[in-house]
Amino acid sequence: GSFSCSCSPGFKGDGVTCSECAREIKLTASDAAAEDWFGHGVSVSAQPGGGAVALVGSMQDDDRGSKSGSAYAYIIGSNGTSTQTSKLTAADGAVDDSFGVSVGVSSFSNGNAVAVIGAYLDDDRGADSGSAYVYVISSSGTATQASKLTASDGAAGDMFGWSV
């Protein structure tokens, strides 16, 4: 005969091994619009004591000009609930920067997290030289820009920040 296993409600698995069940959560942007490319970059980090923080890039969001980009921070509870806590945009964001093309997040034992967000078409060191932004995300989900990174030898076309 065949072996089959089903997962509890809210979980998804491969239908074969019960140990492969995982919680499935759908994240959406509170202000989603067509062509924002929400989800181009995604990163999740487990929080101490359960739950996680998630960061989702939306590289063609238009808050600071056409295709300037943004990223969304979420707190995911250990019970699977998710809450969008912040929308991040570059303080100096401009048309075609593509902030959010790549994202990374890592949690600390105090409940805070650090996020790095790439903007590979930023023009600080020449056209499309690129940059990356560092944010601190508090345990409550509030995000604060801490710094902006560019290559010290950056030049036009480098696309620094394509991957973080």
Side-chain angles (χ1 to χ4, degrees):
S2 64
F3 174 80
S4 135
C5 178
S6 61
C7 298
S8 301
F11 286 79
K12 186 174 185 172
D14 62 10
V16 178
T17 58
C18 290
S19 62
E20 296 299 321
C21 291
R23 184 171 298 280
E24 183 178 75
I25 298 169
K26 181 177 182 179
L27 302 175
T28 57
S30 59
D31 61 350
E35 303 298 323
D36 277 355
W37 288 33
F38 178 84
H40 187 274
V42 177
S43 183
V44 180
S45 181
Q47 291 281 67
V53 60
L55 191 63
V56 181
S58 186
M59 67 183 269
Q60 291 193 13
D61 186 48
D62 297 330
D63 283 16
R64 297 206 179 264
S66 177
K67 300 180 184 175
S68 55
S70 65
Y72 298 80
Y74 299 84
I75 299 295
I76 301 171
S78 56
N79 63 356
T81 59
S82 62
T83 304
Q84 180 185 320
T85 57
S86 298
K87 179 176 181 179
L88 294 68
T89 59
D92 62 348
V95 170
D96 292 328
D97 279 353
S98 291
F99 177 92
V101 66
S102 57
V103 298
V105 66
S106 184
S107 298
F108 296 110
S109 60
N110 66 1
N112 292 340
V114 64
V116 181
I117 302 166
Y120 81 115
L121 298 178
D122 187 35
D123 299 325
D124 283 14
R125 298 196 177 267
D128 303 340
S129 55
S131 63
Y133 295 77
V134 179
Y135 289 79
V136 174
I137 302 174
S138 71
S139 58
S140 65
T142 303
T144 306
Q145 185 176 324
S147 62
K148 178 178 181 178
L149 309 173
T150 59
S152 59
D153 62 349
D158 281 353
M159 296 184 182
F160 181 87
W162 173 256
S163 180
V164 297

